[in-house]
Amino acid sequence: VQMLSLQIVLLSTQLYQPFLSSMQLAEDGRESDNFFMQKWMEYSYWQRQQYRENKKGGVNTKQQFDEHPVHSQQAIEPSSVYNGPLLFLSSCLDWLVYRPSPPKRSITAHYVDLAKSVAKQSCMIVAPDGMYESHSIVSATAPVTSTETPLSVTATMRATLSPSSSSVSTESLLDQEIEQTATAISLGTDDNVEISSKGHQPGDPSGWNIPTTLLLNPVRRIMLLSSSLLLLPVRIVRLAMELFGHSKYRTLLTSSTSMRSRDITDYDKTTLQKLHKYCENNNGWERTNNILWLTDSPIADLGSALFLLLTNNCRAHSSSSRSSNSWRNPYRAELATMNDNRWEKDSMSNDLSEQNPLLPTRTSRVDNDQSQEVLEMSILSINFESLFEAFERIAHTEIGALMLYTMLLSSPIFAASLAARSDLDTLVMPLLRTLYFSSTMTHEHHTSTTSPSTVLSAKNRPFRSQSQLYVILILLLIFSQDQSFGRISFKLLSIPDVKWYKERQIKNISLGSMILLVVLRTITFSLNRLHDSFLLSNCCAVLLNLSPHAINLHEYVAARLVSVTTSCTKRYSAMVAENGNNQEAEGDVSSLLSMHGETCRTLLQLIKHSIRPKCLEKNMHLLYSLLLEQRELIRISNSNLFKHGELESIVALMKRALDIIQKQGSGMSAEDTMDILKRNVSDIKAYSHQEGISRNRTNSDDSLASDASDLGNLTFTYEEEEDPEIFFIPYIWDVVVCSISSATIEWKRDKVNVFPLNEKVDLNVDDVFCDDEIGHVSEKSFRKDHIANTPDVV
């Protein structure tokens, strides 16, 4: 772990200078200023090339010496040359899959326990799925969902050896072990011994006769755990202060009527104020968006960080021999050859010339000789099933989503294996969970200056980085551009229970309906709070890709779809009226008016496709929801706000269904109305054909899939920018500094230049205990005025 941390620190020369991508350097004919990154890449490239030459039998020792980046005077033996990139990638992927735990009593295990101790006493809400709802505390892996609770070796032996083991319940054993573990952690030792050094109080920490507050109790435990100034985790203390910095907790600390405020001694207050002042004055803590990272395997997280830095840097191709970027990134070249070690080599060497539905077209441009290389030599291999299961556990995190994105775009065979799976719900649901909580405003994010239409700042938003939302939407777009994914997500993949959804208890919902529900929520959040055109465009692209396959919509999803559509059209109508009845220019999504217009047209298109004759019978809940909002939709249709055909067909179908219902009488319940619609669905479908709502078909028995293909080319595909480093390298460093190593590496945050920082605010030390926002800052925009490129959609 310490060696990986050192390697990240060596590469951090890139962190403290304005970022220039390898393509920009190649175009200018300049050498990179990142010495360690450049030498690492050069040496890795040399290792891989010489290893491949040795494998082919063409060994030239003099040529190896001349081309060696270090120019060692020692002769190079063929047996001493090994494929460094291959070994590094193999190790990182093995750590990702197996996630080895740190040795007990090691410094790494010490910090792992510290972070978990702080999180347990943070009063942050834990969702029913076992993970925290707040983005301030992130678990590196999702908890085990097995029905059998795993016992530790100690507890299992204790249950086996005990004479009354048959009468001891599993719950009591777990409770006993948890209590003993908490005591050991609090005392900073694995053994049941007392700490007698100055300032430490022996015994069970729960029985200490000392003041207890929401903030000071975990801080005291942290200091006891450290046991020495050498291991004093100042960064974790600062993270704890930030976690407990919400107004409702500070009110308890400062209110004169609160008993807790009198529990704070002057010494405690002075100590915490000094810690706060030290962190801010020495490394600019408030200028980055830090979180508490709870991990079970620091080596897996650091390995993933290095994996991302090395595979996403130096991706440019240059024809200039003078440029150091004339060679390909050796790590991405190795990933392009990765195979599944469960199968024979011949069976996995698929014809890469075939179109991969999950592989963006521009990948062939970036690595133009990958296909031939895969066919010639495939030596990097891993169990794809184990890798898939690993991504299931980490996809909800920023580092996990970035790893999944990198693997999809750099490994064609892995992308093809994912496209062939029928259980992608286990991979998509963690992404939806993160997207859901990232668009959920709670009382913790509201201040006296926020309103439903206020653009969020760094301290009152429900997510750490807006780039995280970009990556999640990009992954959903990559999945949705495969038509087979759209079909199975609505027809085959069913989620029995969505525990983390709070507005309503949702059971037995299809994956496609769940995607629509969360993306609709993200659209509303973006229109009201973020005003982000790129995020909105990706949401609309995902909806349109799924629209031809939308069947069996969940009752709640159908109601939300119609509700969001009507509210958006009403607001769009009002904004057009305020603009002098002038609509936005076609194709423009830069203004708030154009964002609402694009959203309205997308949602209406989704509804039209969902109620076409082939789908109508399977989306009766959507038709019923449309009837509930008939007045508003008819009013919008009469206003000529949309082009002919965008809304008229929907209104015509509603009127036909309404006529059928009115013939049966009035005052019917919802169940009776649904029964009437189901009994007369054939008449409604026939009316749809007559009115031309669907294309004329020569064969009425055609499948739903062929019917969807007749809707035209609706597929939006993801395509990387010409220079993807401009977006991904700053974001990767942001994740490394603020998440993975936020409590373990002392970064000079105020000196960071590679990604945008929060505005600097001068704070008085007394502000630590005031009722206002601690370090309330306004974040620089993360839109295209500070990030030159964002991933694109075509």
Side-chain angles (χ1 to χ4, degrees):
V1 171
Q2 302 303 322
M3 286 300 299
L4 292 178
S5 298
L6 176 60
Q7 290 171 341
I8 291 178
V9 171
L10 290 176
L11 297 180
S12 65
T13 53
Q14 189 177 44
L15 184 64
Y16 297 110
Q17 54 185 309
F19 177 70
L20 290 176
S21 68
S22 57
M23 181 172 291
Q24 291 172 326
L25 292 172
E27 290 175 351
D28 296 341
R30 297 171 51 186
E31 295 287 341
S32 173
D33 294 332
N34 305 311
F35 177 80
F36 289 104
M37 176 68 74
Q38 192 66 24
K39 292 302 178 183
W40 191 327
M41 285 293 182
E42 289 178 359
Y43 186 67
S44 298
Y45 177 78
W46 178 87
Q47 278 186 314
R48 183 173 184 272
Q49 290 299 106
Q50 297 308 317
Y51 175 80
R52 292 169 65 82
E53 290 296 328
N54 291 340
K55 280 289 185 179
K56 295 176 181 178
V59 182
N60 186 334
T61 305
K62 183 179 185 304
Q63 181 182 1
Q64 288 181 348
F65 168 76
D66 293 338
E67 295 180 355
H68 196 293
V70 183
H71 295 289
S72 172
Q73 298 300 321
Q74 185 177 359
I76 301 174
E77 297 295 332
S79 59
S80 65
V81 179
Y82 57 90
N83 192 342
L86 168 67
L87 297 178
F88 174 82
L89 292 175
S90 179
S91 298
C92 289
L93 292 176
D94 283 342
W95 293 332
L96 178 70
V97 170
Y98 299 108
R99 300 194 67 84
S101 301
K104 288 185 177 181
R105 306 192 187 188
S106 64
I107 295 178
T108 303
H110 175 81
Y111 280 109
V112 167
D113 291 338
L114 284 176
K116 293 179 179 179
S117 178
V118 171
K120 285 182 179 179
Q121 302 181 54
S122 65
C123 297
M124 294 292 183
I125 299 175
V126 179
D129 59 0
M131 291 189 287
Y132 289 89
E133 293 183 1
S134 173
H135 71 282
S136 301
I137 304 180
V138 177
S139 300
T141 56
V144 178
T145 57
S146 174
T147 55
E148 297 182 0
T149 305
L151 288 174
S152 67
V153 176
T154 305
T156 305
M157 292 177 60
R158 194 183 301 126
T160 304
L161 298 176
S162 174
S164 58
S165 59
S166 59
S167 60
V168 178
S169 64
T170 302
E171 290 78 6
S172 62
L173 288 175
L174 286 175
D175 293 341
Q176 181 181 0
E177 182 157 359
I178 290 173
E179 182 179 354
Q180 292 182 0
T181 303
T183 303
I185 291 176
S186 301
L187 293 175
T189 175
D190 292 334
D191 303 320
N192 189 17
V193 297
E194 296 181 352
I195 297 177
S196 57
S197 59
K198 184 177 181 181
H200 291 172
Q201 300 191 37
D204 186 355
S206 61
W208 291 341
N209 186 22
I210 57 176
T212 302
T213 66
L214 293 170
L215 175 61
L216 299 186
N217 188 38
V219 170
R220 280 197 177 92
R221 289 173 181 264
I222 288 171
M223 293 182 176
L224 283 175
L225 271 166
S226 299
S227 303
S228 69
L229 288 177
L230 179 63
L231 296 180
L232 178 63
V234 176
R235 291 173 294 279
I236 293 185
V237 175
R238 185 62 187 85
L239 274 171
M241 294 172 65
E242 189 167 308
L243 286 175
F244 306 125
H246 301 299
S247 298
K248 68 174 185 178
Y249 303 128
R250 289 196 302 278
T251 301
L252 292 175
L253 294 173
T254 58
S255 174
S256 60
T257 61
S258 172
M259 288 296 295
R260 292 186 181 273
S261 64
R262 293 195 290 270
D263 290 338
I264 304 176
T265 64
D266 292 338
Y267 175 78
D268 288 330
K269 183 175 180 179
T270 302
T271 300
L272 293 179
Q273 289 174 339
K274 288 181 178 179
L275 284 173
H276 176 83
K277 186 175 182 180
Y278 167 81
C279 290
E280 188 54 41
N281 291 345
N282 286 272
N283 62 11
W285 186 276
E286 292 288 352
R287 303 206 65 190
T288 55
N289 305 311
N290 312 296
I291 65 170
L292 182 61
W293 181 258
L294 307 180
T295 181
D296 59 332
S297 179
I299 191 172
D301 302 332
L302 293 172
S304 298
L306 276 172
F307 180 101
L308 291 173
L309 288 173
L310 294 176
T311 55
N312 286 280
N313 265 294
C314 303
R315 295 181 58 184
H317 284 242
S318 174
S319 58
S320 173
S321 58
R322 295 181 293 107
S323 172
S324 60
N325 292 313
S326 58
W327 36 264
R328 290 174 49 208
N329 183 310
Y331 296 93
R332 293 189 79 90
E334 283 296 336
L335 284 178
T337 70
M338 187 177 69
N339 269 339
D340 190 343
N341 62 14
R342 295 176 299 168
W343 316 109
E344 292 294 333
K345 180 177 179 180
D346 293 339
S347 64
M348 286 306 298
S349 296
N350 299 325
D351 185 3
L352 298 180
S353 63
E354 296 181 1
Q355 182 65 28
N356 186 339
L358 295 187
L359 195 62
T361 56
R362 183 151 296 188
T363 304
S364 60
R365 175 196 61 80
V366 177
D367 298 307
N368 49 24
D369 58 343
Q370 284 184 356
S371 300
Q372 183 63 29
E373 196 166 293
V374 170
L375 296 176
E376 289 178 357
M377 181 181 298
S378 180
I379 50 180
L380 176 62
S381 63
I382 191 172
N383 188 314
F384 279 7
E385 182 66 29
S386 299
L387 188 59
F388 180 80
E389 293 174 356
F391 279 126
E392 292 176 5
R393 300 191 299 269
I394 66 172
H396 66 283
T397 66
E398 293 181 89
I399 196 75
L402 283 168
M403 285 288 291
L404 178 58
Y405 171 86
T406 302
M407 293 295 293
L408 282 175
L409 267 72
S410 57
S411 176
I413 300 178
F414 178 73
S417 71
L418 253 64
R421 297 187 70 99
S422 60
D423 58 347
L424 287 178
D425 56 311
T426 57
L427 194 60
V428 173
M429 287 299 288
L431 299 174
L432 296 180
R433 182 197 188 277
T434 301
L435 196 59
Y436 168 80
F437 283 112
S438 297
S439 57
T440 301
M441 293 293 293
T442 65
H443 62 282
E444 296 174 358
H445 306 121
H446 287 286
T447 65
S448 58
T449 59
T450 58
S451 66
S453 59
T454 303
V455 178
L456 300 177
S457 65
K459 287 299 180 181
N460 65 356
R461 63 188 184 184
F463 51 84
R464 194 198 68 81
S465 170
Q466 204 156 317
S467 299
Q468 179 183 15
L469 308 186
Y470 295 160
V471 174
I472 293 176
L473 263 299
I474 288 171
L475 288 173
L476 292 179
L477 179 60
I478 291 175
F479 288 134
S480 68
Q481 70 192 28
D482 179 12
Q483 292 191 6
S484 63
F485 173 80
R487 288 193 293 270
I488 66 173
S489 64
F490 284 99
K491 295 180 64 176
L492 302 179
L493 299 179
S494 178
I495 313 299
D497 186 16
V498 184
K499 296 180 178 180
W500 42 263
Y501 197 86
K502 303 177 69 175
E503 283 72 15
R504 175 169 173 158
Q505 188 177 21
I506 297 180
K507 294 181 179 295
N508 300 322
I509 183 174
S510 67
L511 177 63
S513 293
M514 199 64 217
I515 295 175
L516 296 187
L517 183 60
V518 177
V519 172
L520 285 173
R521 184 187 187 89
T522 306
I523 286 177
T524 303
F525 184 69
S526 180
L527 290 176
N528 293 338
R529 295 305 188 103
L530 299 182
H531 303 169
D532 189 325
S533 60
F534 176 77
L535 188 68
L536 191 67
S537 298
N538 277 272
C539 290
C540 293
V542 172
L543 292 182
L544 289 176
N545 283 350
L546 295 177
S547 63
H549 315 285
I551 59 173
N552 300 322
L553 291 181
H554 191 274
E555 175 184 359
Y556 179 64
V557 177
R560 285 294 301 156
L561 174 57
V562 176
S563 174
V564 173
T565 302
T566 54
S567 62
C568 188
T569 52
K570 285 193 292 186
R571 189 173 181 185
Y572 178 58
S573 177
M575 296 175 71
V576 170
E578 293 175 359
N579 197 38
N581 291 324
N582 295 321
Q583 298 184 10
E584 73 280 5
E586 186 174 356
D588 176 30
V589 289
S590 59
S591 65
L592 196 56
L593 172 65
S594 59
M595 292 181 196
H596 279 79
E598 182 66 21
T599 301
C600 290
R601 284 182 282 272
T602 298
L603 297 179
L604 291 174
Q605 189 86 329
L606 173 59
I607 292 175
K608 283 178 57 179
H609 293 164
S610 302
I611 60 174
R612 68 186 191 272
K614 281 289 183 180
C615 300
L616 182 59
E617 189 173 358
K618 299 179 180 180
N619 285 327
M620 297 305 293
H621 287 297
L622 180 58
L623 178 58
Y624 178 78
S625 299
L626 287 171
L627 294 177
L628 295 179
E629 297 288 345
Q630 56 177 305
R631 292 184 179 179
E632 181 60 31
L633 292 173
I634 292 174
R635 184 188 68 82
I636 295 296
S637 178
N638 295 333
S639 66
N640 297 322
L641 192 61
F642 300 100
K643 294 180 179 179
H644 178 73
E646 289 182 330
L647 189 56
E648 285 76 4
S649 58
I650 299 175
V651 173
L653 187 67
M654 288 192 306
K655 290 180 178 180
R656 176 58 178 171
L658 188 60
D659 290 340
I660 293 176
I661 293 173
Q662 289 176 346
K663 290 179 181 179
Q664 303 296 325
S666 59
M668 290 178 293
S669 63
E671 292 78 7
D672 294 336
T673 304
M674 280 294 297
D675 289 338
I676 294 174
L677 292 176
K678 290 178 180 179
R679 289 197 305 266
N680 294 273
V681 65
S682 299
D683 295 339
I684 301 175
K685 290 169 62 176
Y687 179 80
S688 299
H689 280 294
Q690 294 172 4
E691 294 296 321
I693 295 178
S694 177
R695 294 174 181 264
N696 293 328
R697 305 193 58 84
T698 58
N699 184 358
S700 59
D701 295 328
D702 285 351
S703 65
L704 183 64
S706 60
D707 178 68
S709 65
D710 282 348
L711 294 176
N713 185 15
L714 297 172
T715 303
F716 290 81
T717 59
Y718 171 71
E719 185 175 295
E720 275 193 326
E721 290 282 350
E722 287 283 344
D723 193 358
E725 294 179 38
I726 294 178
F727 171 80
F728 284 101
I729 296 303
Y731 178 44
I732 292 171
W733 273 116
D734 187 13
V735 174
V736 171
V737 171
C738 304
S739 298
I740 296 177
S741 63
S742 61
T744 56
I745 299 179
E746 189 71 18
W747 301 105
K748 283 285 186 180
R749 289 170 167 80
D750 55 342
K751 303 296 184 182
V752 170
N753 276 306
V754 74
F755 60 84
L757 299 176
N758 301 326
E759 294 289 353
K760 187 174 182 179
V761 177
D762 295 328
L763 296 175
N764 188 283
V765 291
D766 292 332
D767 292 338
V768 179
F769 291 97
C770 71
D771 193 45
D772 298 329
E773 287 293 327
I774 289 183
H776 182 73
V777 294
S778 58
E779 183 203 16
K780 287 185 178 180
S781 172
F782 274 76
R783 302 193 182 96
K784 293 189 177 180
D785 52 347
H786 287 99
I787 298 181
N789 263 326
T790 53
D792 207 357
V793 177
V794 247

